[in-house]
Amino acid sequence: MNQDLISSILDLISKMVFPFLGTTEIIAQPRAYWDNSYTIWLIFSIIFFVGILLVGIYIVIRYRYVKGKNEEGAHIEGNTALEVVWIAIPTILALFLATLSFANFMYQRTLPADALEVKITAFMWGWEIEYPNGKVVSTYFNTEKPFEKDDSEKFYLPVGKKIKVLLSSRDVIHSFYVQPAMITEDAVPGRITYMWFQINKEGEYYAFCREYCGSWHSYMIAVLKVVSEEEFNKWLEQK
Amino acid sequence: MEERAEDLEPGITSEGTSEESRHQHKEVKPWYSGGLKDWIFTTDHKKIGILYFFTSFIFFLLAGMMGMLIRYELTNPGIQLPSIAGQEGADLYNYLLTGHGTLMLLWWAVAVWTGAFGNFLIPLMIGAKDVAFPRLNAFSYWVFLGASVMVLLTAIPGNWIKMLWTAYPPFASNPNAGPVAYYSIIILLYGIAATAGSVNFVATIISMRTKGLSFRKMNLFTHTILGANLIQLFGVPSFLGAVTLLFLDRYIGTNFFNPEIGGDPLLYQNIFWFYSHPAVYVMMLPAFGIYSEVIATMSRKPIFGYVSMVLAIYLIALIGFLVWAHHMFAAGIPDWARVLFSYTTILVGVPTGIKIFNWLATMYKGAIRLTAPMLFVLGGLFMFLIGGLTGVLLSMVSANLGLTDSMFVVGHFHYVLGMSVTFAALAGILYWFPKVTGKMYNEKLGVWSFIFAFIGSNIFYFFQTFSGTLGISRRYADYPNILEWVLINQIQTFGSVLLFVGIVLFLINIIVSLRSGQKAPKNPWHSPSLEWSATDTPVMSNNFKKDHIEIHKDWHPYAYYKGYHEHF
């Protein structure tokens, strides 16, 4: 194995397991609340996992069968005090994590007051966005160049502005996942669901469909083009 | 046939005299004797168990091959699978996903326990001659086989079912989903078999225990099978209901789920997950049972905290029914429901935590024999720990909103339902191999198959789990050509190949040991549990020599401490 491959695998592991590291600025919201839940869970899990693993390895090595020396196990049927302790600790931890999650969830789901409201409609296999002034942009799957979009198909959004999305679907259930913001909400036919997000850095981002919807499910993407507010307003006025 | 019986157990036929002996002489053949006709018309729980085992294991291998094709598709960006009969490679991929999921869950992870292990072992463990309703048992196997044959017919290109095993409407009403009627009939047949089986097991375990075998003296494996079948009994009707309503919507024009004429597609998800979430405990509980059996036996120790282990089983079965909506956290259900189900879901961690701690305590101060079944169990526990901890993250609603339907979820349930269940099943196969065949498995091949499967699956599923945090969604035939995404998929494929080698070695082990394994002693693990201590190896067709076996008042299936009595 060459050095490059090893270092890129290590780089990959750090990006996967510690996704909240490496970027000092939070490029999208409500990502921070996701990060918060994830970080506390990760710390708790690593402690729990490593603890149990070490105890387990120690027990298996220390008490392994040795002919003539260790052939029979001790007669221990239980220990109530010990069991009460290790029932109580996971219960407290579980309730703590659930409550933490609840607090973060409130931020993720509370709609901001000063948001730009857009309507996004999903269909097999593409998205349609309607801006407050009635401008409509659609994007369809394209098997020739599945992950590239022409400028006329990109969803323009102003940088640093909260976007309120009203979601629906024309045919089957789809799901709108804004990748940088780590937020997902299903688009259900016959219902209107909602979500909000905000991207703080100009550039192009993917939004994927996350509910399985048939042949070209994986090509059902939308490119979010995040531009400055002036540029966005100029673009919005164009017909 | 009779000569064969005498070869294996020369001592037995000499027991008794005259009329009685002739009567017994007929009954003491090993369980597997008998011709083709005997196997087809059998009502013997052991033969039905083995029929279930073969069907289920063949479908496990088939679903595994589908999994390898899925890996082949995902190793590089772009669509690699060929277009067949005018259908795109992406459609083939979606068919493979549907097949892999359905078969691995229903044909392997559920059927191998309730059908194969349960049938073969439960009557032996509770001292019964057979299950409560032997003919119903045979009926349920043949219905199951009917469903299995129908599954094989879906491989014909026009029959591809491409809506995944969940079959969410309104997509299921879309022509792109494939033949829904066909899917419904497969699931209905499967459900009839499963319901008949669960009625049988619940009745058997409650009413056919031998005298003196109270619930406090039952093997933990028997408790887990009872728990799993209670879930089946209450849950399967809900699943069948969902599928039937789907069928009516599509072909009769009712409007349960069709939003265009006032139906509600989320209603389906509620009914479907009301069974399909508890179903994961139908897969997981018997795996816990096997962990308990093997850990106690191989550590030569009684189970630590037997009573709390039993209570944890039924608590898991109960909580399993209270958490289904966590599959719908992003589906547009009310926020209060998401929070409520987040709390109940995270509480499942408590009884499973109890079990993990008690297994560790059972090994403490034991004399641990690291045989192949024990290695599979320890490996399975390791996988279960990771699967459980990633499950905690997914149960937290705020984290779930970023990870739902991503590869993180896929990795999580492959740790739990994929490897933890499969390792338990493989451990169980090796552990009871002497009981079933009268021969010992090959220890070296067993250990090597474990090493390959353990390392391979950990490479595979570790990267799969955390690839979700990079943003990779599940159920994608293709993905953008991002360097990290390609690398992460190639590492997973490397792991899956190692896992594949491990499974092939395991298969070779079974075949080699069946042909030329050493003759097994009567009780190779020196276990006081009834299936070992009170029956011959291999079992004779009448299970026990007497009609009613008697158990000593101090007997316990886990009485492993020094000075235990081997012949209660």
Side-chain angles (χ1 to χ4, degrees), chain A residues 15 37 83 209 212 215 219, chain B residues 91 162 308 398 476 478 484:
Chain A
K15 259 192 189 163
S37 284
E83 285 196 86
C209 174
Y212 175 79
S215 295
Y219 292 168
Chain B
D91 286 333
K162 300 171 293 180
S308 53
S398 65
Y476 272 14
D478 194 6
E484 286 170 358

Side-chain angles (χ1 to χ4, degrees), chain B residues 424-488:
Chain B
L426 300 185
I429 290 168
L430 296 181
Y431 181 76
W432 283 290
F433 191 80
K435 186 88 265 167
V436 178
T437 63
K439 292 176 173 177
M440 293 302 289
Y441 63 88
N442 185 315
E443 185 72 42
K444 251 187 195 153
L445 272 172
V447 172
W448 277 110
S449 65
F450 166 73
I451 291 172
F452 273 96
F454 182 73
I455 294 175
S457 53
N458 271 298
I459 292 176
F460 186 177
Y461 298 123
F462 179 81
F463 283 90
Q464 184 165 58
T465 303
F466 289 96
S467 68
T469 58
L470 293 178
I472 306 182
S473 300
R474 68 196 280 205
R475 296 160 174 175
Y476 272 14
D478 194 6
Y479 51 89
N481 193 355
I482 300 170
L483 191 66
E484 286 170 358
W485 291 27
V486 181
L487 181 65
I488 205 168

